Amino acid sequence: MKTDILIIGSGCSGLYCALHLPEEKQITVITKSDLESSDSFLAQGGMCMLKDDFDYNSYFEDTMRAGHYKNDEKSVEIMIRSSRDIVDDLLGYGVDFQREEDGTLAFTREGAHSEQRILFHEDITGKEITSKLLKQVKNRKNITLMEYTTMLDILCKDNCCYGAVVRHKDGKLENVLSDYTILATGGIGGLYLHSTNFRHLTGDSIAIAIKHHIALKDINYVQIHPTTLYTEQNEERSFLISESVRGEGAKLYDIHMNRFVNELLPRDVVTDAIHQQMQKDHSDYVWEDLRSIPEDELKMHFPNIVEHCEAMGYDVTKECIPVVPAQHYFMGGIAVDHQSRTSMEHLYAVGETACNGVHGQNRLASNSLLESLVFAKRAAFEIKNTYCPIEQLQEDNTNLEHYQDSEKLAEEYRNLVLGEIEKREAEHLSA
């Protein structure tokens, strides 16, 4: 199989990148599960936007402070300055952000933000954005979408990528040849017992990067979200209670109903405080109280949270809910430059699987959707402006026998990723 550009992943970064690539090029997007099972669809809180130049310094500082000043300052600047352009694109695609009564865009605030600068659509902003991108992609005749197609490896020679080895839904193995390959495979939550991520997101791109000596960056920077709904049942995913809930006034209490932390501090600080309080109280959870939010606002802004909690037996308008931290986001990843290029020629990485340093050691709430879109668009423009076909792209004779045992390969990749994270974390602590 041959294609001009191969995109691996159907989240917001992969889809948005596809929409900005040349329409005369044949683009193939593959995804490990169905088209809607990406973490982009799960994002609740919203997406940041620079409202005006007066907020730039504050937004920049909030991002840097949350990231413990380990951020790449140029990446942060690019993300913030590009935000209005991204919003204009999304509005053009029909994304329905919340509006004020006068028709202007409405903004909310989340933890560690000093201003209200977050656009939202109820508490399903990610679904609203990604579904509209998917609709646009489906209308493009030059883009082919392939579900239940798993990348097993990349094809490369002399530090140049020319495609990927994939497994189709029926188990058939195939080499897909391409001039450019874009990794948009999402996070690593599937490697953890408790995570807000889909279970099939297991850091495959990171494992493949390790295997082929592609540069990585900050892969020990793994974010834990402080508030997911605690249940005694073993759910497939931890249900996230959005940062926006605390931004709108929700409070955190220990099991004795005493406040123990400023709820608007950065996520990692709140997470540490919760873990310490749970250890002190010998408890498996703490309480989150949404009753301080007016009931009509609660049901309008957070309908899905209200509905899910109700299904689990909690009336958030009358009682507190038990919450516990869970793995949520991956700030590290495959090292990329400001155009999303990896250290391997003709190979790009975007979204959560990439690391341009924008988040530093801890991601500021609602920067993930924005960052993914900004640098996906920059990747598309870089490919468009420098497009250079790989000469003599022809049938690849890679031996596919190694990829036959899917369970063995998955375990191999899992051990590669977790082992490298553990190694980098040990180096970080000893530095």
Side-chain angles (χ1 to χ4, degrees), residues 314-354:
Y314 299 100
D315 183 347
V316 296
T317 67
K318 297 179 180 179
E319 60 187 328
C320 297
I321 58 174
V323 294
V324 64
Q327 189 280 334
H328 181 54
Y329 196 79
F330 185 41
M331 282 84 64
I334 298 173
V336 295
D337 64 12
H338 298 134
Q339 281 69 46
S340 299
R341 293 176 297 204
T342 72
S343 62
M344 180 173 282
E345 296 295 322
H346 289 250
L347 181 66
Y348 288 69
V350 296
E352 194 172 349
T353 201

Side-chain angles (χ1 to χ4, degrees), residues 99-222:
R99 302 232 178 214
E100 302 288 1
E101 291 183 2
D102 62 2
T104 58
L105 291 170
F107 294 89
T108 189
R109 179 185 175 192
E110 298 187 15
H113 284 271
S114 56
E115 300 288 342
Q116 290 188 326
R117 61 171 72 95
I118 300 169
L119 298 168
F120 63 97
H121 176 94
E122 298 177 347
D123 53 354
I124 51 170
T125 309
K127 181 178 181 180
E128 171 65 14
I129 291 173
T130 313
S131 63
K132 294 296 171 62
L133 294 176
L134 182 57
K135 182 179 179 181
Q136 292 290 323
V137 165
K138 287 180 176 179
N139 290 333
R140 296 287 180 90
K141 294 182 179 179
N142 67 313
I143 302 176
T144 300
L145 297 166
M146 300 176 64
E147 295 182 301
Y148 302 102
T149 304
T150 302
M151 172 189 64
L152 304 177
D153 205 348
I154 57 170
L155 299 170
C156 58
K157 183 179 181 180
D158 299 328
N159 199 45
C160 179
C161 181
Y162 59 92
V165 181
V166 306
R167 177 185 289 109
H168 295 284
K169 185 178 181 179
D170 62 3
K172 177 186 175 182
L173 302 179
E174 185 174 26
N175 292 331
V176 181
L177 308 182
S178 60
D179 288 327
Y180 290 89
T181 301
I182 302 167
L183 302 174
T185 53
I188 59 173
L191 301 178
Y192 291 80
L193 179 62
H194 299 292
S195 174
T196 61
N197 295 187
F198 281 108
R199 302 309 303 173
H200 65 271
L201 301 179
T202 51
D204 297 350
S205 288
I206 308 301
I208 289 167
I210 295 169
K211 178 179 176 181
H212 293 285
H213 308 290
I214 298 166
L216 301 174
K217 181 177 174 62
D218 298 337
I219 67 165
N220 55 309
Y221 290 174
V222 180

Side-chain angles (χ1 to χ4, degrees), residues 298-317:
L298 188 60
K299 291 182 176 180
M300 180 189 73
H301 193 159
F302 307 107
N304 290 277
I305 292 176
V306 173
E307 182 180 338
H308 183 85
C309 289
E310 184 177 355
M312 299 303 293
Y314 299 100
D315 183 347
V316 296
T317 67

